[in-house]
Amino acid sequence: MATDRGNVQGGPDPEATAGPEGTVPPERVAGGEMIGLRQGMFGVGGTGDTSGYGRLIRPVTLPGGTPRPYGGWFDEFVDTLADALDAVGVLFDDAVERVVVFRGELTLHVRREHLPVIARGLRDHPSLRFELCLGVSGVHYPQDPGRELHAVYPLMSVTHCRRVRLEVAVPDADPHLPSLYPVYPTTDWHERETYDFFGIVFDGHPSLTRIEMPDDWTGHPQRKDYPLGGIPVEYKGAKIPPPDERRAYQ
């Protein structure tokens, strides 16, 4: 988590706190969208209070799309992907909600029904060749109605030594995504983990079962609305009380 060491020089660096999980006011992120407020975070400046609970209230802002030119190889990459999609009868603007360039990294926000065709184009086109999916990460934005759950796929081209990210948003009421297992078999366990912790359902996965929590566990513990304590745990016959029921040390 970024701190406000920049305050000594006259204020925090907006690049240190903006972005997909940033807390910069929307006027400081071009095209940003405010989805909620955070309270009691560390990084308060100007009050002398470093406890993290000093009346600090800041908006949660998601970045807007980045206009062209994107810079570097990003423009050629987007054009090549658009050609690859056009070859299979899919328009780039229908498949991609927006392109975001942040801190020198490119993220494509993809509509879920087009996720597999985009992944295949990125993998198979000779000028793209993103052969490796490095994992699947879940994100939960409970304040963003209709887009509460996000899945993020970092992809790497071993051939061209490049990286991009795919990000897909789904509503909590319909948390279904097409599995990328047929395109990237390495996502097998990664999709299971994201399902386990966030409840995102990857349709077409060969065995979408829990991978960390017990099979009969209720809920998804990495969601932001999941309780932080008060749940008893049993491990190999030993019963561990929840934190609020354990003994206190004097």
Side-chain angles (χ1 to χ4, degrees):
M1 182 177 294
T3 64
D4 268 3
R5 292 193 180 98
N7 279 334
V8 177
Q9 304 297 326
D13 178 7
E15 293 297 317
T17 51
E21 295 187 14
T23 56
V24 171
E27 63 271 13
R28 295 178 62 182
V29 180
E33 174 190 4
M34 192 181 81
I35 63 170
L37 296 173
R38 287 182 180 171
Q39 185 172 0
M41 290 173 31
F42 290 95
V44 63
T47 68
D49 180 4
T50 59
S51 69
Y53 300 97
R55 303 188 304 275
L56 177 63
I57 300 175
R58 305 184 73 183
V60 179
T61 306
L62 300 181
T66 302
R68 283 181 180 262
Y70 305 127
W73 53 271
F74 294 159
D75 292 273
E76 181 183 359
F77 161 82
V78 169
D79 291 339
T80 303
L81 177 59
D83 292 340
L85 293 175
D86 188 62
V88 294
V90 177
L91 295 178
F92 181 86
D93 290 340
D94 291 340
V96 177
E97 293 180 348
R98 63 181 180 271
V99 179
V100 176
V101 177
F102 180 72
R103 294 183 183 173
E105 298 179 331
L106 184 143
T107 301
L108 299 177
H109 289 254
V110 177
R111 294 181 174 87
R112 59 178 164 181
E113 62 271 20
H114 295 293
L115 177 62
V117 70
I118 288 180
R120 287 192 184 92
L122 290 173
R123 184 194 65 180
D124 296 342
H125 194 284
S127 298
L128 299 174
R129 290 293 190 218
F130 284 86
E131 307 99 333
L132 181 61
C133 180
L134 301 173
V136 185
S137 299
V139 190
H140 185 208
Y141 296 110
Q143 310 97 332
D144 195 10
R147 300 173 56 86
E148 293 91 349
L149 295 170
H150 291 223
V152 182
Y153 303 81
L155 306 181
M156 180 175 182
S157 170
V158 179
T159 300
H160 302 294
C161 196
R162 293 174 173 177
R163 296 194 184 202
V164 299
R165 277 197 302 265
L166 304 180
E167 184 166 345
V168 190
V170 295
D172 191 8
D174 181 24
H176 288 262
L177 282 178
S179 171
L180 284 192
Y181 176 83
V183 183
Y184 295 109
T186 54
T187 62
D188 184 355
W189 285 14
H190 299 143
E191 289 183 346
R192 285 180 59 193
E193 185 176 49
T194 305
Y195 160 73
D196 193 357
F197 287 156
F198 290 90
I200 299 176
V201 180
F202 295 91
D203 296 329
H205 189 282
S207 179
L208 194 62
T209 57
R210 290 190 181 272
I211 193 171
E212 300 282 352
M213 309 303 293
D215 289 339
D216 59 352
W217 193 266
T218 301
H220 304 282
Q222 295 252 335
R223 291 195 183 192
K224 292 179 181 177
D225 55 4
Y226 191 83
L228 297 178
I231 300 175
V233 178
E234 182 176 347
Y235 179 70
K236 293 186 177 181
K239 293 185 177 180
I240 304 172
D244 54 359
E245 296 180 7
R246 298 175 192 170
R247 66 182 179 180
Y249 293 94
Q250 303 298 325

